[in-house]
Amino acid sequence: MRITKEQKQENYDRIIATASELFRQRGFDGVGVAELMERAGLTHGGFYNHFRSKEELIAESIENGLNETLQRYAGYDVLDVMELYLARDHRDGRGQGCTAAALSCDAARQPETTKAVFAAGIDKLVRAVEGGIAQRDPSGAEGRAQAIAILAQAVGAIVLSRACPDDSPLADELLDACRADCRDAIENRMRQR
């Protein structure tokens, strides 16, 4: 039985969404193709109708996950993004959270082509933060450098907080301190102009 183009696209989208969530939860090596396809409600053999390899799926799921992060925060003020991003809900919602925070260490061990996809997504995140800063400070001076620093601090805070036990006070201290520091960096920039 042949499937329609629409059904094939729906299956592809379901595989990507499932992979994005599972990879964020357990890393690239923690998810096998058979389990992924079962979770997506499809047969193992159907995987190869969409992807040549797991590496190809990883690259596409990275792009998808980083785009989800951009979409999630689109339209928010950069200070509001910091409040939402550096929150306990985001920290605890690994499968639905930021791909950069969940998979940066895994991506560092992937082939160069996969790293290039990750780097392109990180650059989009930097540009989004930079755009948010520019809305508050149209002069744009040093906006990219500050955006890189803020993104790196926010992602790092999530990574470190997740490395702590869930009930550890340090898990929340990391988020609180970085949220306050990012807010101060953005607000102080406005005061200096």
Side-chain angles (χ1 to χ4, degrees), residues 23 28 54-63 110 114:
F23 288 151
F28 301 129
K54 183 177 175 184
E55 289 73 29
E56 184 180 327
L57 169 65
I58 287 170
E60 291 188 38
S61 71
I62 288 168
E63 184 175 13
Q110 295 299 309
T114 305

Side-chain angles (χ1 to χ4, degrees), residues 3 16 41-42 84 103 134 144 190:
I3 62 172
I16 291 292
L42 300 166
L84 294 167
L103 293 169
R144 183 162 175 87
M190 304 311 125

Side-chain angles (χ1 to χ4, degrees), residues 30-182:
V31 180
V33 170
E35 177 193 8
L36 164 69
M37 294 302 286
E38 182 180 325
R39 290 281 290 271
L42 300 166
T43 64
H44 182 211
F47 176 84
Y48 297 99
N49 293 330
H50 300 282
F51 307 98
R52 290 183 300 262
S53 65
K54 183 177 175 184
E55 289 73 29
E56 184 180 327
L57 169 65
I58 287 170
E60 291 188 38
S61 71
I62 288 168
E63 184 175 13
N64 177 75
L66 291 168
N67 284 335
E68 282 179 5
T69 299
L70 287 168
Q71 292 167 2
R72 182 177 305 119
Y73 299 113
Y76 285 94
D77 178 82
V78 68
L79 292 176
D80 293 335
V81 171
M82 291 300 109
E83 289 293 322
L84 294 167
Y85 191 93
L86 291 165
R88 188 65 186 227
D89 286 346
H90 179 224
R91 181 244 188 224
D92 293 345
R94 182 185 307 257
Q96 292 73 42
C98 177
T99 296
L103 293 169
S104 289
C105 293
D106 282 85
R109 292 184 286 276
Q110 295 299 309
E112 292 300 315
T113 54
T114 305
K115 287 184 195 179
V117 172
F118 211 90
I122 292 170
D123 189 59
K124 286 180 185 178
L125 294 176
V126 168
R127 284 187 277 130
V129 173
E130 186 178 14
I133 292 169
Q135 287 179 343
R136 298 180 134 268
D137 177 17
S139 76
E142 299 178 20
R144 183 162 175 87
Q146 185 179 31
I148 289 170
I150 287 170
L151 179 64
Q153 184 174 8
V155 169
I158 294 293
V159 171
L160 293 175
S161 180
R162 286 178 176 164
C164 297
D166 288 344
D167 61 352
S168 165
L170 182 58
D172 290 323
E173 286 178 287
L174 287 159
L175 298 175
D176 295 344
C178 289
R179 186 181 326 105
D181 193 59
C182 288

